[in-house]
Amino acid sequence: RSQRDRLTQLGLQFGGIFAFRSPDVVDELKLTSDQRKAIRKIERDWQPGPRRREAGGERSTAPPRPTREELVARVLRILNEEQVRKWTEMTGPQFTDFQERPFRGAPDRGPPPGERRRPKEPRPEQADGDKPDA
């Protein structure tokens, strides 16, 4: 196989459940309307939402979000045998070295509260109240 074919396979793998939104994938697998609705439900169940706080300000102890592989496995249970075979052919050998990064919130909102930068400590050579020479 060519590098382009492998790159396409990896793109589908990396896309996870969202790869099933691609018109090419929908057509190739011949997904039914009911299957597409079931896949959207899996997406909605996964979608990161605001974390609720428990009384006293503690974060909720919600179960961890499923991994990309777990979500795709849920979708594959919706497909028929021929569709699963075709999906396996389309995605090729599994690449397992994806670096999952945690969802960090909406763009331009900065890091989650626990990861915000703290103000810099004054340098040791600066005495209290001394200002650095300009």
Side-chain angles (χ1 to χ4, degrees):
R1 292 208 146 182
S2 74
Q3 286 182 336
R4 183 181 304 267
D5 290 342
R6 183 62 179 148
L7 184 59
T8 301
Q9 292 173 340
L10 293 175
L12 291 173
Q13 290 180 31
F14 187 76
I17 59 171
F18 299 107
F20 293 95
R21 286 180 171 245
S22 163
D24 293 336
V25 172
V26 171
D27 291 344
E28 191 73 27
L29 296 179
K30 298 179 176 75
L31 294 176
T32 67
S33 176
D34 288 342
Q35 288 174 321
R36 293 173 70 188
K37 286 177 187 173
I39 292 167
R40 299 299 163 257
K41 181 175 182 339
I42 293 170
E43 286 178 13
R44 281 192 306 276
D45 291 347
W46 169 84
Q47 288 293 328
R51 294 276 186 174
R52 289 182 285 136
R53 298 240 179 218
E54 300 290 334
E58 294 295 319
R59 282 190 179 240
S60 100
T61 55
R65 290 197 173 94
T67 65
R68 176 191 340 263
E69 291 80 15
E70 291 168 339
L71 292 169
V72 170
R74 288 183 194 174
V75 171
L76 293 180
R77 287 194 289 271
I78 295 166
L79 305 181
N80 65 39
E81 191 175 309
E82 177 60 22
Q83 289 169 317
V84 171
R85 185 195 63 72
K86 187 66 177 169
W87 173 255
T88 303
E89 179 183 303
M90 291 170 66
T91 56
Q94 288 297 306
F95 181 78
T96 57
D97 211 17
F98 289 122
Q99 302 271 324
E100 290 274 351
R101 294 211 166 94
F103 181 73
R104 294 182 57 83
D108 300 320
R109 292 205 173 185
E115 296 180 23
R116 293 204 170 115
R117 286 189 168 171
R118 293 185 172 80
K120 290 184 179 178
E121 298 286 327
R123 286 190 232 154
E125 63 268 7
Q126 291 178 348
D128 291 344
D130 289 347
K131 293 183 181 177
D133 295 336

